[in-house]
Amino acid sequence: EMDTIEHNNFQETLKIVFDDEISELKRTFNAMATRIKKLIEDVYETRLHLLQFQFDPHFLYNTLDTIHWMADRHNAQDIAYSVEQLSDYLRFSLSHKSSVTLLTELEHLRAYYNIQKIKYEDLIELCFDIPVHLLHCKTIPFALQPIVENAIRHGMRNERDVLLINIEGKNDTDVLILTVRDNGKGIGAEKLSEITDSLNNRDSYLSESLGLRNVHRRLQAAFGEQYGISVFGKIDHGATITLQFPMSD
């Protein structure tokens, strides 16, 4: 029966008749086969989605350039500005690079923030406090944008209070530490525990922390299990996310 696994057939399971050590091994084997089958299905579904969303970026850029030209022609400066920021954002998003400099990541984040400012106007403010010597260090793409997006989505209190998001950078010997801190609604103890479990437990799932989990997993895959993100926060005291990864250029 185990030979079916060798031929990539994960549908078959081992029959369990007795309640002994061999049967326990069979249960473990069946659970492993089921897990592998689920992982293969997930990978297939992900690849299918990627294929469905493939398109020619040059067509997209040319279309946006045309819209930008039309907006300028009609003196619609707000539309021209929006299209320009969206073009910058998409150009980075579709570059498919495995690593970028921190400076490039911040430029991409700035484009994202500028787009959000069009919607929220003065209700969000983004500040940077990062030493110049850290800007050449390499990191993964989309390390900061999902975290800022999460802060905007879950941190805004109302339509009056300004959400302040501050990003600080420093190095501890050869480790680069980025801290994203906001003054939003904060995180309750129970929710904080769920988010932390979602980050550290591969079998845990929490839709609200998918962006954070994605960054955490990609940092660990790129630099090692000892790196990643940590989440802190209290209700009415904002949230703090720290990213840690090795300094490299």
Side-chain angles (χ1 to χ4, degrees):
E1 290 175 315
M2 290 187 178
D3 291 340
T4 60
I5 296 293
E6 185 178 353
H7 296 91
N8 297 326
N9 181 6
F10 299 97
Q11 303 286 351
E12 299 291 335
T13 57
L14 303 182
K15 295 180 181 179
I16 299 175
V17 180
F18 304 103
D19 188 13
D20 53 13
E21 292 183 358
I22 300 298
S23 297
E24 186 62 32
L25 288 175
K26 288 183 176 181
R27 290 190 185 92
T28 302
F29 182 86
N30 288 343
M32 179 193 70
T34 300
R35 177 64 173 163
I36 292 174
K37 178 175 176 290
K38 179 64 168 58
L39 289 172
I40 291 174
E41 291 173 349
D42 289 344
V43 170
Y44 176 78
E45 184 177 352
T46 300
R47 291 180 64 183
L48 181 61
H49 283 308
L50 288 174
L51 288 172
Q52 289 174 339
F53 283 101
Q54 282 183 346
F55 57 90
D56 184 0
H58 297 293
F59 170 75
L60 178 61
Y61 298 146
N62 291 337
T63 302
L64 290 173
D65 286 341
T66 300
I67 298 173
H68 185 273
W69 172 79
M70 292 172 63
D72 270 342
R73 182 179 179 185
H74 292 278
N75 201 30
Q77 296 304 317
D78 53 344
I79 297 177
Y81 175 78
S82 302
V83 171
E84 182 181 14
Q85 296 303 314
L86 180 58
S87 296
D88 290 343
Y89 178 83
L90 290 175
R91 190 167 283 107
F92 177 89
S93 301
L94 298 174
S95 62
H96 303 297
K97 294 181 178 179
S98 60
S99 66
V100 296
T101 64
L102 182 56
L103 177 60
T104 300
E105 176 68 12
L106 293 174
E107 290 173 344
H108 170 249
L109 178 60
R110 174 64 70 178
Y112 169 80
Y113 168 70
N114 289 338
I115 293 172
Q116 293 299 317
K117 284 284 284 185
I118 297 168
K119 176 180 179 180
Y120 294 105
E121 297 181 336
D122 294 332
L123 287 177
I124 57 173
E125 291 294 339
L126 179 65
C127 301
F128 300 102
D129 183 12
I130 300 176
V132 175
H133 73 275
L134 297 180
L135 297 178
H136 68 280
C137 294
K138 290 292 183 67
T139 185
I140 58 172
F142 292 97
L144 292 169
Q145 183 267 327
I147 296 174
V148 171
E149 179 180 359
N150 197 73
I152 295 174
R153 179 176 298 177
H154 301 292
M156 295 193 71
R157 299 173 183 269
N158 49 54
E159 297 181 355
R160 299 183 308 275
D161 296 331
V162 177
L163 178 68
L164 301 176
I165 304 172
N166 188 56
I167 300 179
E168 301 174 356
K170 65 178 182 179
N171 66 288
D172 182 3
T173 312
D174 57 350
V175 176
L176 198 156
I177 303 172
L178 297 176
T179 302
V180 183
R181 185 178 291 108
D182 68 67
N183 66 337
K185 292 189 296 186
I187 310 172
E190 182 177 351
K191 179 62 67 177
L192 182 60
S193 178
E194 292 176 353
I195 293 173
T196 301
D197 182 62
S198 176
L199 294 178
N200 298 323
N201 185 352
R202 293 186 180 274
D203 295 324
S204 178
Y205 176 85
L206 185 65
S207 60
E208 295 179 20
S209 64
L210 282 180
L212 301 180
R213 177 175 171 146
N214 178 278
V215 174
H216 183 64
R217 291 279 183 265
R218 288 189 298 117
L219 282 172
Q220 291 188 328
F223 301 114
E225 293 288 326
Q226 67 270 40
Y227 301 104
I229 73 173
S230 302
V231 184
F232 310 92
K234 288 184 179 180
I235 288 291
D236 294 327
H237 287 80
T240 300
I241 315 292
T242 62
L243 301 82
Q244 297 192 44
F245 49 91
M247 294 181 63
S248 61
D249 50 30

